[in-house]
């Protein structure tokens, strides 16, 4: 039996959806523990592309329970749209569970998110505009609406009228926007509640019952380590805790329930939105990685910024999350390159450093120190075993494993499920096994 956390080891968009889909085969319960519709992952099944934002990819397995935990923030309109899309594609959605205590993204959250970001001007953060930050802010101010409130229209009215009055004042007087009609909002969200009601559960009781029954539980994080509210490149971060410790808070479990943590990292690095990015590339190399890797956000469609693999933030992610092993994705994107750079340290104000600075200003001044490795200049897309990989591709993976001081358990070589090399079972194998390649 193993309870596993899967996290992003970079700035998100590492391919966690595919890895979670792979690991869900061995999971009885998959728990999404933080974030909202600002996250997105794309799953390719039998050449069918499925784009999800809230619902865990484990929903593709009919025997798996998929729980959206208390630490998430839920846009019910988007969630119902995903459920409808899955049902239209013949996927059984009966296994979906939604925490009654998850907070709800309301229409004023989306309006305020966009208005605040516009007002920031040159200091904009690069949010998705989906209302995630304002939803978490209301949660912290104890002024939020929870899923359980949608299930009773009178309770929803009682909970909503005060906060909505305050938000309307902000929308009108500060941002010059039209106020929202309280009754229209109540009717709309009560209707969402009626549709969601069959899926609503007590999150903590559901998880702990599964644990008592010795079920395999997979905790799925959204975004990535460097977007963590406390441990990322603040203020260019998300509004929750994607790191592995966030699983305990967002799902309502103690750390002793977690058996291991798997990090997901691309064979290079990408970032969406604003903020420092030391290994960022420009010109033809950036375009090459972006085009070959289809680096466009699932949620926003924005073109991702691309750069070489950054071992400094990689080691930081290993430490912050307590990673047991790594899944390296999109190795095939590097197939055509004759040389590949890897950042092994930074230069900051003339001094070589091998750690991630806590100051955003210092991080912005960091210059990458690279080591160059030879490329393999042949396709890896059809490789299914380690021995199928070109020797220089194997050498690249060994270099990453040694640099990050953590073994590699999975190598992904494309979007399809079968384009994967499993070095050793990352869930049931011995803890801290010699998985390095």
């Amino acid at each position: 039996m193993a309870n596993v956390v899967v996290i992003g080891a970079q700035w998100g968009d590492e391919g966690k959806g595919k890895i979670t889909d792979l690991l869900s085969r061995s999971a009885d319960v998959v728990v999404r523990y933080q974030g909202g519709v600002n996250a997105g992952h794309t799953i390719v099944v039998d050449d069918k592309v499925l784009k999800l934002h809230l619902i865990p990819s484990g929903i593709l397995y009919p025997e798996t329970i998929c729980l959206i935990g208390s630490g998430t923030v839920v846009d019910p309109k988007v969630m119902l749209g995903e459920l409808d899309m899955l049902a239209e594609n013949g996927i059984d959605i009966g296994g979906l569970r939604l925490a009654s205590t998850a907070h709800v993204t309301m229409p004023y959250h989306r309006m305020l998110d966009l208005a605040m970001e516009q007002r920031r001007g040159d200091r904009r953060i690069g949010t998705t505009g989906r209302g995630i930050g304002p939803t978490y802010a209301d949660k912290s101010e104890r002024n939020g609406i929870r899923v359980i409130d949608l299930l009773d229209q009178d309770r929803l009215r009682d909970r909503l009228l005060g906060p909505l009055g305050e938000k309307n004042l902000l929308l009108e007087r500060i941002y010059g926007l039209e106020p929202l009609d309280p009754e229209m909002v109540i009717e709309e969200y009560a209707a969402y509640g009626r549709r969601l009601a069959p899926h609503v559960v007590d999150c903590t009781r559901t998880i702990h019952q599964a644990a008592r029954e010795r079920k395999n539980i997979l905790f799925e994080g959204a975004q990535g380590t460097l977007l963590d509210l406390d441990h990322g490149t603040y203020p260019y971060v998300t509004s929750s805790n994607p790191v592995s410790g966030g699983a305990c808070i967002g799902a309502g479990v103690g750390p002793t329930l977690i058996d291991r943590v798997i990090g997901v990292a691309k064979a290079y690095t990408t970032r969406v939105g604003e903020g420092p990015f030391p290994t960022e590339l420009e010109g033809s190399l950036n375009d090459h990685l972006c085009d070959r890797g289809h680096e466009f956000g699932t949620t926003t469609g924005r073109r991702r910024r691309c750069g070489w693999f950054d071992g400094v933030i990689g080691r930081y992610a290993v430490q912050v999350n307590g990673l047991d092993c790594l899944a390296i994705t999109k190795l095939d994107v590097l197939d055509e390159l004759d040389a590949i750079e890897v950042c092994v340290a930074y230069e900051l104000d003339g001094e070589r450093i091998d750690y991630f600075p806590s100051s955003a200003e210092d991080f912005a001044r960091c210059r990458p120190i690279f080591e160059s490795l030879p490329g393999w200049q042949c396709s890896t897309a059809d490789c299914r075993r380690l021995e199928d990989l070109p020797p220089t591709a194997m050498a690249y993976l060994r270099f990453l494993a040694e640099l990050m001081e953590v073994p590699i358990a999975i190598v992904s070589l494309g979007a399809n499920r079968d384009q994967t090399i499993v070095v050793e079972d990352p869930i049931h194998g011995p803890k801290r096994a010699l998985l390095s390649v």
Side-chain angles (χ1 to χ4, degrees):
M1 188 274 291
N3 299 323
V4 177
V5 181
V6 178
I7 61 93
Q10 295 163 321
W11 274 286
D13 307 309
E14 299 97 346
K16 293 185 297 297
K18 178 183 175 179
I19 302 304
T20 304
D21 174 59
L22 174 70
L23 299 178
S24 294
R25 300 175 186 178
S26 303
D28 301 299
V29 181
V30 179
V31 183
R32 165 79 181 274
Y33 61 83
Q34 49 76 223
V37 297
N38 56 337
H41 50 260
T42 302
I43 309 296
V44 180
V45 182
D46 299 328
D47 296 324
K48 185 180 293 184
V49 178
L50 302 174
K51 295 186 177 183
L52 300 172
H53 299 86
L54 277 169
I55 298 175
S57 54
I59 197 70
L60 302 179
Y61 298 92
E63 301 302 318
T64 301
I65 298 298
C66 290
L67 173 59
I68 298 175
S70 298
T72 59
V73 293
V74 178
D75 188 322
K77 184 176 182 180
V78 174
M79 182 174 173
L80 288 166
E82 289 187 14
L83 287 173
D84 290 342
M85 179 271 292
L86 290 168
E88 289 167 5
N89 281 278
I91 294 166
D92 183 359
I93 58 174
L96 183 72
R97 305 288 186 270
L98 172 61
S100 60
T101 48
H103 278 249
V104 177
T105 297
M106 303 297 290
Y108 48 79
H109 292 135
R110 294 189 296 271
M111 296 169 70
L112 288 169
D113 195 358
L114 291 168
M116 289 188 293
E117 183 75 343
Q118 183 177 17
R119 178 163 287 209
R120 291 185 185 106
D122 292 341
R123 301 185 65 186
R124 64 187 180 275
I125 297 169
T127 76
T128 61
R130 300 300 197 267
I132 307 304
T135 309
Y136 275 113
D138 275 2
K139 175 181 179 177
S140 297
E141 291 178 358
R142 300 170 296 280
N143 206 22
I145 303 297
R146 301 192 298 175
V147 168
I148 197 169
D149 298 324
L150 304 185
L151 306 185
D152 184 310
Q153 189 158 332
D154 291 335
R155 181 168 57 203
L156 177 59
R157 178 177 282 103
D158 181 61
R159 294 275 198 273
L160 183 63
L161 288 179
L164 183 51
E166 295 175 4
K167 303 303 181 187
N168 275 339
L169 286 174
L170 274 174
L171 292 170
E172 284 187 280
R173 299 186 182 181
I174 303 298
Y175 298 108
L177 300 172
E178 289 293 319
L180 293 164
D181 183 317
E183 290 304 319
M184 288 183 65
V185 174
I186 291 167
E187 288 291 335
E188 179 183 358
Y189 280 74
Y192 294 149
R194 288 190 289 273
R195 285 196 61 192
L196 290 172
H199 301 282
V200 177
V201 298
D202 182 314
C203 175
T204 303
R205 284 176 55 197
T206 301
I207 294 174
H208 284 275
Q209 180 61 37
R212 281 193 295 271
E213 295 172 0
R214 299 185 65 79
K215 302 287 189 182
N216 292 333
I217 305 172
L218 181 64
F219 299 89
E220 175 187 9
Q223 289 94 32
T225 298
L226 275 295
L227 292 178
D228 188 271
L229 181 60
D230 293 299
H231 304 290
T233 50
Y234 191 90
Y236 303 101
V237 294
T238 193
S239 302
S240 60
N241 294 108
V243 295
S244 59
C248 296
I249 298 168
V253 301
T256 53
L257 190 70
I258 307 300
D259 294 302
R260 65 181 61 204
V261 184
I262 300 173
V264 185
K266 281 177 183 165
Y268 50 102
T269 309
T270 64
R271 175 163 202 177
V272 173
E274 306 299 322
F277 183 2
T279 67
E280 184 171 11
L281 292 164
E282 297 180 351
S284 59
L285 269 175
N286 175 80
D287 293 342
H288 177 82
L289 294 178
C290 188
D291 293 341
R292 275 192 59 88
H294 305 289
E295 297 296 353
F296 298 90
T298 303
T299 298
T300 64
R302 288 183 293 185
R303 187 180 180 91
R304 294 176 185 138
R305 301 156 64 190
C306 297
W308 296 120
F309 190 92
D310 189 328
V312 180
I313 67 170
R315 287 193 299 268
Y316 177 73
V318 171
Q319 295 164 0
V320 170
N321 294 289
L323 295 187
D324 292 294
C325 58
L326 275 170
I328 296 294
T329 64
K330 295 196 173 184
L331 183 68
D332 57 300
V333 174
L334 305 180
D335 282 353
E336 297 179 2
L337 302 178
D338 59 353
I340 302 167
E341 304 290 325
V342 177
C343 174
V344 296
Y346 298 144
E347 181 184 306
L348 175 60
D349 298 334
E351 178 185 355
R352 180 186 173 114
I353 64 171
D354 60 1
Y355 59 86
F356 168 64
S358 56
S359 162
E361 290 75 17
D362 288 347
F363 189 49
R365 295 202 309 279
C366 285
R367 297 293 174 263
I369 297 172
F370 289 116
E371 286 197 25
S372 183
L373 286 82
W376 41 96
Q377 294 184 283
C378 63
S379 176
T380 59
D382 294 327
C383 296
R384 298 294 178 268
R385 302 172 302 166
L386 284 181
E387 49 266 37
D388 296 336
L389 290 171
T392 44
M394 285 285 290
Y396 182 70
L397 292 172
R398 286 196 185 94
F399 186 87
L400 298 187
E402 292 170 5
L403 179 64
M404 295 179 68
E405 299 179 343
V406 70
I408 294 172
I410 299 170
V411 181
S412 174
L413 301 154
N416 288 310
R417 279 176 171 175
D418 66 333
Q419 293 179 298
T420 310
I421 299 171
V422 179
V423 182
E424 189 168 323
D425 187 338
I427 293 182
H428 298 102
K431 191 174 178 71
R432 301 292 297 187
L434 296 176
L435 305 179
S436 57
V437 295

